[in-house]
Amino acid sequence: MRLSKSDFFIIILGLSLIAGLGYLLYADITAASGPGNTKKIGKITAARNTTERKYSSRVVWGEVYKDSVLYNYDTVRTADQSETTIRLDDGTEITLNENSMILLALTEDEVDIKFIQGTMNAKQSTSVSDTARKVIIESGDSSVSLKNGDVSISQDWGDRLQMTVNRGTAVLNTGKEEKLINENQNIIAEKESVRLFDLTIRLISPESDAYVDSGGRQTAVDFSWEPLDGKYDTSLEIANNPAVTEPIIADKVRGSKKRIPLADGVYFWRVNAVNKDTGKIESSEIRRVTIFNNRPVVLISPANKDEIRFRDENPMIDFLWSKNESISRYKLLVSASADMSAPLVNTVVEGNRIALNNLGQGKYFWKVANMNDAERITGTAESSVFSFIVTRTEKIEPPVPVYPPESKTVHPMIIVQKGLTFNWINAPLVKETEIFLAKDSDLKNIIFTNKVGMNNVTYNGRLAEGDYYWGLRGVMKDGSMTDYSSIRRFKVVRTGTISLIEPQDREVIINKNVERLSRVDFSWSKTELEGTYRLQLSTEKSFGKILKETSVPDLSAEIPDIREGRYFWRVALLDDRKEVLVSSPTHSFEIMNVLEKPVPISPLAGSSVEMLKKETLNFYWKPVKGAKYYRIGIYQVKGLMQYSIANLETRNNYYVFSDLSKLDVGKFLWTLQAVDIDPATNRVRRSSEEIKMGFNINLDIKGDINLNTPNIMHTE
């Protein structure tokens, strides 16, 4: 069957249309996101680590940096250990902490911020005019409006919204009720209730959202606040979350300051104080502090006063420096002058390495500067200045050994199972490389030699335990040889460890279902060796008695039916003969049942307390096994609002509240939670579910007595 010319034309036309439409689809999918027709509304003035933005017309996220322009209806989010500051054109400033996300929308009269998750701060300059836009922050079913104010907002577990007014006022709208929040007040909005607190303790240092330069593995941070008048038990709480739940540090403090050593990271802190006479709790705002490693990097390659030789073309120079975990971007500068003026290379590098081939014969100087995009980090840390020389020569540089590095230790079974791979870097004109493996540093007692056209070779023979040496020589196309490379030494020795991952050492595992024994998941790191992993569990650190043992080929195992108590575990890798190749250190963990909810005795939910002839309001509950103390909250209820009267702590299963001036006739709520702490570290190990009981307070007065009392409400 033959096709006519018209058939050919139709086929070609169809294929062309398919190809064209496919290309347009591909271009649309892979094209860089754009703002479309939306207008510019501001820019990013500071960014630490990773910040991403999504345009309203796109589904693809793209990374943004300091001075990036933002457009209406943009969505912005931050990653772990990240922070970004946004300044809108109307003067509104928004700071997003780590793992936070917002959507921005500006109208003629309002700045609408859809707060999706995380922690943020929003403020307007004190010089904002009366015609400035009102800021509306929406979070779930609640919204916050402010004008010429400053608020900090976080959304944590259960969509609980927590807000602190740092300056001015704000209005919280829960959909059912509006509430004016004044300066230095904190409010917690949940699905069923809204709680209001006064922040009476004034924090001094560190300032809110402060950055502290890291001093090494741990940095001593000075926390301070204004002294309190009276007798108080004061505690400093520091946590990894903005709500300061389950604090990692809860230290009792004498006085109004405390020095705490902290590792690099982001922390949230507050101060609580219990009045010894009245039991009343005073609270502070929650502040954020970042321990930031801004130390300069160390230059590695080219080494100081190094000489780099080439014959025909400019050499490929590999610039390498140490990595700072707090810095993601660096600036590399290369100059012909020692004062680094008129740099020949001035480029931003993602990571800690870049290779360049644009430097010819001459003497050069180079340094690396940290790129700090966070506004609160002052100063730019720069490395020392190294020099190097690029020289043209007829002699080609020998290969550079890379792996195994100097003094590397290798298990003999790895060589048998997988082979030992040697690799190196060659100059461009080297055609082949000759490798030598020997028992001596002079390469006379040769064990293995070979010529290869690649930059790696694998040795599969058996090597006894001991020291070995290897070196290289380059072979040119004309048969000439380079000099010998530097000689590297490595050791063959039966050593190595397995790193245990979960459970972490000294971890407390909470069993939430007390009717069943716990099931624990164990995991550990992979080794280069092949074999079977043996997991052992014991109640004794010496493993004199093995409670459970299992062998698995993978990097994890599950052990069921473990009772409450303290346990020790370890992992070993076994060969085919059940001999131990490598083993792990010993870790411990503790299994504890969840604390039961306290059972209230008085006042019970729905009850009425007659206070006419009483001088104290007494709270009773049944003791909870394992609880070290109890947290009590007392609130007055008006509509949907719950006004904090007192927050109390006690080690007893009762509390006598004597400050009756803070009470009034009406509806009240009291909350109760059992808490267990580690007696050695004073850190919270587990907490029960908080229970809530609503009750009424009345004065049972009969007859024609007319009692005139001022309607006074006190809030904490």
Side-chain angles (χ1 to χ4, degrees):
M1 180 177 179
R2 294 184 177 181
L3 297 176
S4 64
K5 291 183 178 180
S6 61
D7 292 332
F8 276 115
F9 175 76
I10 292 173
I11 292 173
I12 293 172
L13 179 62
L15 292 174
S16 300
L17 286 172
I18 293 172
L21 292 174
Y23 172 78
L24 292 175
L25 177 61
Y26 172 80
D28 182 68
I29 293 174
T30 58
S33 300
N37 296 323
T38 57
K39 61 182 292 188
K40 172 183 172 297
I41 60 172
K43 69 175 183 178
I44 292 177
T45 58
R48 183 172 66 89
N49 292 340
T50 304
T51 302
E52 294 181 322
R53 175 259 304 282
K54 183 176 73 66
Y55 294 110
S56 60
S57 60
R58 297 283 179 171
V59 296
V60 179
W61 291 88
E63 191 166 358
V64 289
Y65 305 97
K66 183 180 179 181
D67 296 326
S68 294
V69 174
L70 295 178
Y71 298 89
N72 214 4
Y73 308 111
D74 278 358
T75 303
V76 181
R77 68 182 182 186
T78 55
D80 288 338
Q81 300 294 314
S82 301
E83 180 188 70
T84 192
T85 301
I86 299 167
R87 185 168 289 118
L88 302 180
D89 291 341
D90 75 333
T92 302
E93 185 174 281
I94 303 163
T95 300
L96 288 182
N97 295 326
E98 64 175 351
N99 297 317
S100 301
M101 183 188 303
I102 61 171
L103 185 149
L104 298 169
L106 265 70
T107 64
E108 291 296 326
D109 302 320
E110 294 180 350
V111 177
D112 292 325
I113 302 171
K114 179 67 174 179
F115 181 45
I116 302 170
Q117 68 179 43
T119 309
M120 65 169 288
N121 175 269
K123 65 180 179 180
Q124 288 183 310
S125 171
T126 54
S127 60
V128 172
S129 64
D130 293 337
T131 59
R133 293 182 176 93
K134 180 190 294 185
V135 176
I136 305 293
I137 304 170
E138 298 180 10
S139 178
D141 297 330
S142 303
S143 67
V144 176
S145 62
L146 70 150
K147 190 172 183 180
N148 194 17
D150 181 352
V151 298
S152 299
I153 301 177
S154 67
Q155 183 171 288
D156 50 30
W157 51 268
D159 291 332
R160 184 177 76 162
L161 182 71
Q162 181 165 307
M163 179 182 70
T164 301
V165 177
N166 304 312
R167 178 177 56 82
T169 59
V171 176
L172 174 69
N173 189 324
T174 62
K176 298 179 181 180
E177 184 175 350
E178 282 191 353
K179 178 62 182 176
L180 178 67
I181 315 300
N182 295 310
E183 187 171 328
N184 293 320
Q185 283 192 318
N186 176 270
I187 197 163
I188 298 176
E190 300 176 278
K191 291 183 179 180
E192 299 178 354
S193 63
V194 179
R195 304 186 196 181
L196 180 67
F197 303 84
D198 280 340
L199 304 177
T200 52
I201 298 179
R202 302 290 184 259
L203 302 182
I204 298 176
S205 178
E207 296 180 352
S208 183
D209 294 328
Y211 278 81
V212 178
D213 283 345
S214 173
R217 292 187 61 184
Q218 287 195 323
T219 302
V221 181
D222 291 319
F223 296 88
S224 63
W225 50 94
E226 293 182 3
L228 298 172
D229 293 332
K231 297 179 180 180
Y232 287 89
D233 285 330
T234 307
S235 62
L236 170 64
E237 295 183 341
I238 303 174
N240 292 322
N241 59 82
V244 195
T245 55
E246 302 296 334
I248 60 174
I249 294 175
D251 284 355
K252 300 291 185 182
V253 181
R254 289 185 177 181
S256 58
K257 60 183 178 180
K258 179 77 172 180
R259 173 170 289 186
I260 301 290
L262 296 173
D264 293 352
V266 179
Y267 302 92
F268 299 85
W269 67 285
R270 70 181 173 194
V271 174
N272 291 326
V274 181
N275 191 303
K276 293 182 179 181
D277 296 329
T278 65
K280 174 186 173 184
I281 286 188
E282 307 285 353
S283 299
S284 75
E285 64 176 300
I286 296 174
R287 284 189 179 179
R288 178 177 180 267
V289 59
T290 301
I291 313 300
F292 183 81
N293 180 359
N294 195 29
R295 295 188 296 275
V297 299
V298 177
L299 304 184
I300 299 174
S301 176
N304 196 25
K305 299 181 181 179
D306 197 5
E307 183 179 3
I308 301 171
R309 297 178 181 179
F310 73 101
R311 188 166 78 172
D312 298 322
E313 298 177 347
N314 286 348
M316 182 65 72
I317 303 174
D318 191 26
F319 292 91
L320 175 67
W321 53 92
S322 64
K323 190 173 184 180
N324 186 330
E325 295 300 330
S326 297
I327 302 292
S328 60
R329 299 194 301 157
Y330 305 87
K331 180 175 288 187
L332 169 66
L333 295 102
V334 182
S335 174
S337 304
D339 61 0
M340 302 304 296
S341 61
L344 303 172
V345 176
N346 185 354
T347 185
V348 175
V349 182
E350 298 284 340
N352 64 327
R353 190 170 202 160
I354 188 173
L356 303 173
N357 65 347
N358 60 342
L359 298 175
Q361 186 169 249
K363 184 175 183 179
Y364 300 95
F365 301 85
W366 72 291
K367 68 178 181 180
V368 173
N370 295 347
M371 293 284 291
N372 292 332
D373 290 339
E375 281 188 325
R376 297 176 183 87
I377 301 174
T378 59
T380 300
E382 296 183 345
S383 71
S384 56
V385 177
F386 276 13
S387 67
F388 63 93
I389 298 175
V390 178
T391 305
R392 182 181 178 85
T393 180
E394 291 299 322
K395 197 172 185 178
I396 298 300
E397 291 292 318
V400 178
V402 175
Y403 189 90
E406 180 67 21
S407 300
K408 169 73 175 178
T409 59
V410 184
H411 198 286
M413 287 302 298
I414 292 179
I415 304 175
V416 173
Q417 294 176 353
K418 299 182 179 181
L420 178 58
T421 298
F422 298 85
N423 58 52
W424 53 87
I425 298 174
N426 269 331
L429 294 180
V430 172
K431 181 183 178 182
E432 287 184 319
T433 305
E434 189 173 16
I435 181 172
F436 305 90
L437 175 61
K439 282 288 293 181
D440 62 301
S441 59
D442 295 330
L443 302 183
K444 292 180 179 179
N445 188 6
I446 300 295
I447 298 173
F448 167 77
T449 184
N450 196 7
K451 282 185 181 180
V452 293
M454 302 177 292
N455 66 339
N456 63 82
V457 68
T458 300
Y459 176 75
N460 297 100
R462 287 185 175 271
L463 294 178
E465 291 189 71
D467 291 345
Y468 294 87
Y469 302 85
W470 67 289
L472 306 159
R473 209 166 46 165
V475 182
M476 252 50 80
K477 188 175 183 180
D478 58 6
S480 60
M481 298 274 191
T482 68
D483 292 336
Y484 281 98
S485 70
S486 58
I487 306 301
R488 296 287 175 87
R489 177 176 65 94
F490 66 92
K491 290 184 177 183
V492 176
V493 61
R494 292 180 177 273
T495 186
T497 60
I498 298 171
S499 297
L500 303 182
I501 300 175
E502 290 290 344
Q504 297 180 16
D505 197 20
R506 296 186 294 274
E507 181 177 348
V508 176
I509 300 174
I510 304 300
N511 178 20
K512 297 183 179 180
N513 188 351
V514 296
E515 296 180 358
R516 295 183 180 180
L517 298 180
S518 295
R519 181 184 299 269
V520 179
D521 293 321
F522 299 85
S523 63
W524 52 90
S525 65
K526 182 177 177 61
T527 68
E528 296 180 288
L529 294 168
E530 295 178 356
T532 301
Y533 294 97
R534 182 187 67 195
L535 166 65
Q536 292 180 326
L537 184 68
S538 175
T539 55
E540 302 174 3
K541 190 173 183 179
S542 63
F543 286 83
K545 179 182 178 182
I546 303 299
L547 183 66
K548 291 180 185 279
E549 180 176 298
T550 183
S551 296
V552 294
D554 302 319
L555 302 176
S556 62
E558 184 183 82
I559 296 182
D561 302 329
I562 305 179
R563 300 180 180 276
E564 270 194 295
R566 190 182 183 199
Y567 297 91
F568 300 89
W569 70 290
R570 65 186 181 185
V571 175
L573 181 67
L574 310 181
D575 61 14
D576 295 338
R577 295 174 294 178
K578 304 301 181 183
E579 293 184 359
V580 175
L581 298 175
V582 293
S583 59
S584 74
T586 298
H587 279 189
S588 67
F589 65 92
E590 189 173 2
I591 293 179
M592 305 184 74
N593 287 335
V594 66
L595 281 181
E596 296 180 0
K597 292 190 298 184
V599 177
I601 297 176
S602 175
L604 293 173
S607 64
S608 294
V609 180
E610 199 283 305
M611 296 293 297
L612 179 61
K613 298 181 180 180
K614 293 182 179 179
E615 297 181 356
T616 61
L617 176 60
N618 302 332
F619 299 90
Y620 300 94
W621 57 92
K622 293 182 179 180
V624 176
K625 182 181 179 181
K628 297 298 188 296
Y629 68 89
Y630 302 87
R631 292 173 177 166
I632 308 164
I634 306 175
Y635 304 88
Q636 183 168 11
V637 181
K638 289 195 172 184
L640 292 177
M641 297 297 296
Q642 299 171 6
Y643 296 87
S644 175
I645 300 300
N647 287 279
L648 314 165
E649 291 182 359
T650 181
R651 293 183 179 269
N652 303 314
N653 65 317
Y654 62 89
Y655 194 90
V656 177
F657 185 72
S658 58
D659 192 2
L660 300 187
S661 63
K662 295 192 176 298
L663 302 180
D664 195 6
V665 175
K667 294 182 178 180
F668 286 81
L669 172 80
W670 73 290
T671 63
L672 182 62
Q673 184 182 40
V675 181
D676 177 30
I677 61 174
D678 186 341
T681 62
N682 207 32
R683 296 184 180 181
V684 175
R685 292 191 294 193
R686 50 184 177 155
S687 302
S688 74
E689 183 180 339
E690 184 183 68
I691 62 172
K692 302 177 182 179
M693 285 72 63
F695 66 98
N696 294 310
I697 290 180
N698 58 59
L699 300 175
D700 190 11
I701 301 175
K702 298 180 181 180
D704 298 329
I705 299 177
N706 185 16
L707 181 64
N708 293 318
T709 60
N711 189 15
I712 300 175
M713 178 179 65
H714 298 270
T715 63
E716 299 296 328

